[in-house]
Amino acid sequence: MRSPPLLSPRLSWRRMVGVFFLPFILPAFAPRFKHEESLMLGTAHPPQPRFNWSHLTPLELKNRSVGLGTASTGRGKPHFTLEGHRFLICGGSIHYFRVPRAYWRDRLLKLKACGFNTVTTYVPWNLHEPERGKFDFSGNLDLEAFVLMAAEIGLWVILRPGPYICSEMDLGGLPSWLLQDPRLLLRTTNKGFTEAVEKYFDHLIPRVIPLQYRQGGPVIAVQVENEYGSFNKDKTYMPYLHKALLRRGIVELLLTSDGEKNVLSGHTKGVLAAINLQKVQRNTFNQLHKVQRDKPLLVMEYWVGWFDRWGDKHHVKDAKEVERAVSEFIKYEISFNVYMFHGGTNFGFMNGATNFGKHTGIVTSYDYDAVLTEAGDYTEKYFKLQKLLESVSATPLPQVPKLTPKAVYPPMRPSSYLPLWDALSYLNEPVRSHQPVNMENLPINNGSGQSYGFILYEKSICSGGRLCAHAHDMAQVFLDETMIGILNENNQDLHIPELRDCRYLRILVENQGRVNFSWQIQNEQKGITGSVSINNSSLEGFTIYSLEMKMSFFERLRSATWKPVPDSHQGPAFYRGTLKAGPSPKDTFLSLLNWNYGFVFINGRNLGRYWNIGPQRTLYLPAVWLRPEDNEVILFEKMLSGSDIKSTDKPML
């Protein structure tokens, strides 16, 4: 059509009106990224929305058919819908396996009272299938109970079942027995890996099906794997997992989660792409827009803190920065999930590790400088976010639950001790092997090998020289009961002095946590990998002890002949004392400032690792794991005995 004359009087008044209203009209037609650019520059200030989700809770929404979906209304921005109603995901991460089951309700109620409508959680394959074909969904691993409790409290659930989850867990949540076969390629469509995934999903997904939204449950979305864009070893892997979930009956919204630079490589057709980030910057959403311009934005992980590593500093993040970011998410109706809302604890041997040139284990505490502390206490972040979310809620928020009380107990001194060498007879039968065998390939646990803890290699030698061995992660080397040196990834040999008589060579190796991120997960076998030699001559004929430190071992250890504690003892040993908790035990934090390196067991339950290099200086001890009055405390100290064990009502992280 031919354009009208430039000075047509018929259109001049319209032009004038248009020019006047241009600043108000253009934003509605502008590309969506302009809105996010304004957000990042701090130049746009849309009115603060007010939300009423009182009718959109698992308790109120009875008639269900369409679940969580996405919509775009003409000139408006794309947005989420729940049962057809406009919906903003305000999520917070709580990992059921990092929180004592007795405290699940408390943490979920605090999430709800802060103004959140959704809880997200990972599902750790390594904890649920500790041995090949042996599944555990009981006690603290009762996924279904956690999800149903969230529904009862009025929270929706986004499930992140992996199979790989990262989460700063040992091997990123993958079971260690996958490392038995070097031909099995993790996180690919390699036959050995997919066969294991199929069997795991065959057991896990039927538990999830009835928990889905359209089945009357609270699960509104399920994540496919985790951060695959940064791994990206197999283009067919993510589509395979997508189909694996669909054919087992997952009908709710499926999504992926990647760092902002890896969204493109992690994208899977037919799956919503979400983003993980530490802070919002000018180009934060550029890659995401290249993948999907017609979908609402979801920040699957907004990192409100960070994890700590041994020998590193304790990480904190300013509460005002967190408040500003969440405020911007709400203004621009960007759905978000706070990671972590409540971090919890890497109890036992759960922790993973990083390896950016050096293997470094994650500390026991997963406090994460989160919205709630490791012990579930309120923080400045909590109250700032509560005030913010209350300001945009059309209905009052629930009452804030009371704090969990803390206590300081009388200091205790171990009354008896047992050198490691005296405890060997209380372990399971040792393995006799021509060559050293790594943890994962030990013929124990119904063929699944050893996942965590320590492994001891013993061999009689009659001459000294240059000892060479590849030990992962850290090994103490002994002649009989005297330590002569340490082996690790940077030190793979040491000198053994000349011997007058034959002596026992003992190599005690600790798994300090398998790497949880990057391609290096493929090579995370622990113990001694390869041969052991003296002066280039390979040693043969080893006795191998598995020290998994399971509760059954400590039950057997009670019948051992313990000795009075000496003034000082060097070398690995167990130390036993009694914590007097009184008639009503309360949460506390154990302080081991004059001990060196080891683990603490309360009534046979593993609280986790302590280490004098910090940054963590206390271990969280939940009241629900204490008995009234007397509680057995056992320390496994690797290096040198300390004196007393104190408690405090405040953590030192």
Side-chain angles (χ1 to χ4, degrees):
M1 180 185 292
R2 189 163 56 99
S3 300
L6 186 62
L7 298 176
S8 168
R10 186 165 54 91
L11 294 176
S12 59
W13 69 272
R14 293 179 182 172
R15 283 199 189 94
M16 288 187 290
V17 171
V19 169
F20 178 78
F21 284 104
L22 196 61
F24 305 98
I25 296 171
L26 278 181
F29 292 94
R32 186 175 57 162
F33 73 86
K34 290 292 183 183
H35 289 276
E36 280 100 41
E37 186 173 290
S38 297
L39 178 155
M40 286 164 265
L41 294 174
T43 56
H45 299 282
Q48 192 85 326
R50 291 188 74 83
F51 304 104
N52 186 354
W53 294 309
S54 58
H55 63 296
L56 296 178
T57 71
L59 302 175
E60 298 295 328
L61 206 52
K62 302 298 184 185
N63 298 319
R64 307 181 181 191
S65 59
V66 293
L68 184 69
T70 64
S72 180
T73 55
R75 294 176 298 182
K77 291 183 293 183
H79 57 271
F80 284 105
T81 60
L82 188 61
E83 203 56 42
H85 303 280
R86 197 178 186 107
F87 187 69
L88 189 74
I89 299 168
C90 295
S93 288
I94 302 174
H95 299 154
Y96 59 97
F97 47 92
R98 282 186 162 119
V99 182
R101 180 171 179 158
Y103 288 157
W104 286 353
R105 182 175 296 276
D106 174 77
R107 308 318 193 237
L108 291 169
L109 285 170
K110 287 171 178 171
L111 180 69
K112 181 74 173 176
C114 197
F116 290 79
N117 57 30
T118 303
V119 62
T120 70
T121 188
Y122 283 125
V123 181
W125 183 5
N126 55 352
L127 301 185
H128 286 299
E129 194 179 0
E131 297 178 15
R132 196 184 295 267
K134 181 180 177 181
F135 296 93
D136 184 3
F137 286 84
S138 63
N140 230 83
L141 296 175
D142 194 337
L143 168 65
E144 294 140 290
F146 179 79
V147 171
L148 292 172
M149 186 181 290
E152 179 191 335
I153 287 167
L155 293 163
W156 299 109
V157 177
I158 295 179
L159 214 56
R160 312 175 78 185
Y164 165 86
I165 63 173
C166 185
S167 187
E168 288 71 60
M169 287 195 74
D170 187 277
L171 206 63
L174 298 175
S176 62
W177 43 260
L178 290 169
L179 297 173
Q180 291 178 330
D181 183 356
R183 297 169 299 177
L184 187 151
L185 302 178
L186 303 177
R187 302 182 75 189
T188 69
T189 51
N190 169 276
K191 186 171 181 287
F193 186 70
T194 57
E195 283 180 351
V197 170
E198 292 286 336
K199 291 174 182 176
Y200 172 54
F201 274 7
D202 282 346
H203 202 92
L204 170 66
I205 302 305
R207 295 174 179 273
V208 176
I209 297 302
L211 302 174
Q212 294 184 103
Y213 175 89
R214 273 170 270 195
Q215 296 275 347
V219 175
I220 55 174
V222 175
Q223 184 175 306
V224 184
E225 235 257 3
N226 189 52
E227 296 180 321
Y228 195 71
S230 62
F231 194 81
N232 199 27
K233 295 286 185 184
D234 184 343
K235 296 294 184 185
T236 64
Y237 175 65
M238 289 294 281
Y240 153 72
L241 286 178
H242 180 203
K243 292 175 184 175
L245 292 170
L246 291 177
R247 73 169 182 266
R248 285 176 173 82
I250 296 295
V251 296
E252 306 306 336
L253 181 78
L254 291 172
L255 57 91
T256 57
S257 177
D258 280 290
E260 56 191 272
K261 295 180 181 178
N262 299 306
V263 173
L264 280 173
S265 53
H267 180 56
T268 303
K269 188 176 180 181
V271 178
L272 180 80
I275 194 170
N276 300 340
L277 54 88
Q278 191 162 25
K279 58 184 177 180
V280 181
Q281 302 178 90
R282 184 184 189 92
N283 301 316
T284 293
F285 300 102
N286 283 6
Q287 294 294 317
L288 192 57
H289 285 309
K290 291 179 182 178
V291 171
Q292 52 186 33
R293 300 187 63 86
D294 60 339
K295 300 294 183 184
L297 295 174
L298 170 59
V299 178
M300 192 57 202
E301 291 186 11
Y302 168 54
W303 301 319
V304 299
W306 202 244
F307 59 88
D308 291 341
R309 303 179 302 172
W310 289 111
D312 203 350
K313 64 178 182 178
H314 173 54
H315 292 84
V316 295
K317 189 170 185 176
D318 184 66
K320 291 180 181 177
E321 182 184 342
V322 172
E323 179 188 30
R324 279 194 298 270
V326 174
S327 178
E328 295 288 76
F329 294 152
I330 293 170
K331 278 182 184 177
Y332 292 90
E333 297 188 50
I334 297 173
S335 288
F336 66 93
N337 174 61
V338 164
Y339 190 99
M340 295 290 299
F341 177 80
H342 171 54
T345 310
N346 290 317
F347 291 116
F349 301 115
M350 194 188 300
N351 69 278
T354 63
N355 193 332
F356 302 110
K358 178 186 177 183
H359 182 280
T360 310
I362 308 296
V363 303
T364 300
S365 171
Y366 201 64
D367 177 87
Y368 210 87
D369 196 36
V371 181
L372 287 182
T373 69
E374 178 182 10
D377 292 336
Y378 299 115
T379 66
E380 185 184 1
K381 289 174 186 172
Y382 184 94
F383 292 117
K384 283 186 179 297
L385 292 184
Q386 184 198 40
K387 184 178 180 180
L388 173 62
L389 292 171
E390 190 169 43
S391 73
V392 299
S393 175
T395 57
L397 298 184
Q399 188 173 353
V400 174
K402 293 180 180 179
L403 284 174
T404 307
K406 309 293 185 296
V408 178
Y409 296 111
M412 58 182 147
R413 279 180 173 267
S415 56
S416 54
Y417 90 116
L418 193 69
L420 172 62
W421 324 116
D422 295 351
L424 296 181
S425 59
Y426 296 92
L427 295 169
N428 291 327
E429 191 70 23
V431 172
R432 317 283 177 181
S433 175
H434 192 61
Q435 293 289 338
V437 180
N438 60 294
M439 277 188 180
E440 296 78 8
N441 288 97
L442 272 185
I444 62 173
N445 294 323
N446 300 309
S448 294
Q450 178 180 342
S451 295
Y452 314 110
F454 297 78
I455 184 170
L456 176 66
Y457 301 86
E458 190 176 81
K459 158 75 180 157
S460 177
I461 60 172
C462 300
S463 61
R466 182 169 171 264
L467 172 73
C468 290
H470 292 266
H472 303 279
D473 295 304
M474 176 183 174
Q476 295 165 270
V477 181
F478 302 85
L479 283 179
D480 292 334
E481 299 177 9
T482 303
M483 193 172 90
I484 60 171
I486 287 178
L487 299 173
N488 54 38
E489 62 181 346
N490 299 315
N491 180 30
Q492 297 175 356
D493 59 74
L494 61 83
H495 177 71
I496 297 178
E498 284 304 314
L499 306 178
R500 294 180 180 177
D501 303 301
C502 293
R503 308 274 293 276
Y504 274 119
L505 173 68
R506 287 164 163 163
I507 305 176
L508 178 65
V509 190
E510 179 192 1
N511 168 10
Q512 295 180 318
R514 295 182 181 86
V515 167
N516 51 260
F517 181 79
S518 83
W519 59 268
Q520 293 175 91
I521 60 173
Q522 188 67 43
N523 304 308
E524 278 298 282
Q525 291 84 359
K526 300 302 180 184
I528 291 178
T529 56
S531 63
V532 175
S533 65
I534 295 179
N535 294 335
N536 296 320
S537 177
S538 292
L539 301 182
E540 298 176 347
F542 287 85
T543 301
I544 306 172
Y545 295 89
S546 170
L547 287 92
E548 299 176 285
M549 307 284 190
K550 293 180 178 178
M551 195 173 285
S552 57
F553 165 67
F554 288 99
E555 290 170 359
R556 293 194 298 272
L557 214 55
R558 290 194 182 101
S559 61
T561 304
W562 292 71
K563 305 173 182 178
V565 176
D567 292 336
S568 179
H569 176 77
Q570 192 165 7
F574 297 91
Y575 297 83
R576 186 171 64 180
T578 302
L579 173 67
K580 296 185 178 298
S584 301
K586 296 178 177 61
D587 281 9
T588 192
F589 302 89
L590 295 186
S591 172
L592 300 120
L593 293 180
N594 55 16
W595 295 79
N596 287 273
Y597 185 122
F599 291 82
V600 180
F601 301 84
I602 301 288
N603 301 321
R605 194 185 289 267
N606 191 341
L607 288 189
R609 181 185 283 107
Y610 65 88
W611 197 352
N612 61 5
I613 65 171
Q616 182 176 355
R617 301 291 179 182
T618 55
L619 288 176
Y620 173 50
L621 172 51
V624 294
W625 290 352
L626 289 171
R627 302 167 184 153
E629 305 304 343
D630 292 355
N631 292 268
E632 180 188 62
V633 180
I634 293 180
L635 266 62
F636 178 63
E637 166 65 50
K638 286 175 55 175
M639 300 295 185
L640 178 66
S641 64
S643 54
D644 55 357
I645 302 165
K646 296 180 180 178
S647 66
T648 173
D649 55 2
K650 293 181 178 61
M652 291 183 283
L653 299 177

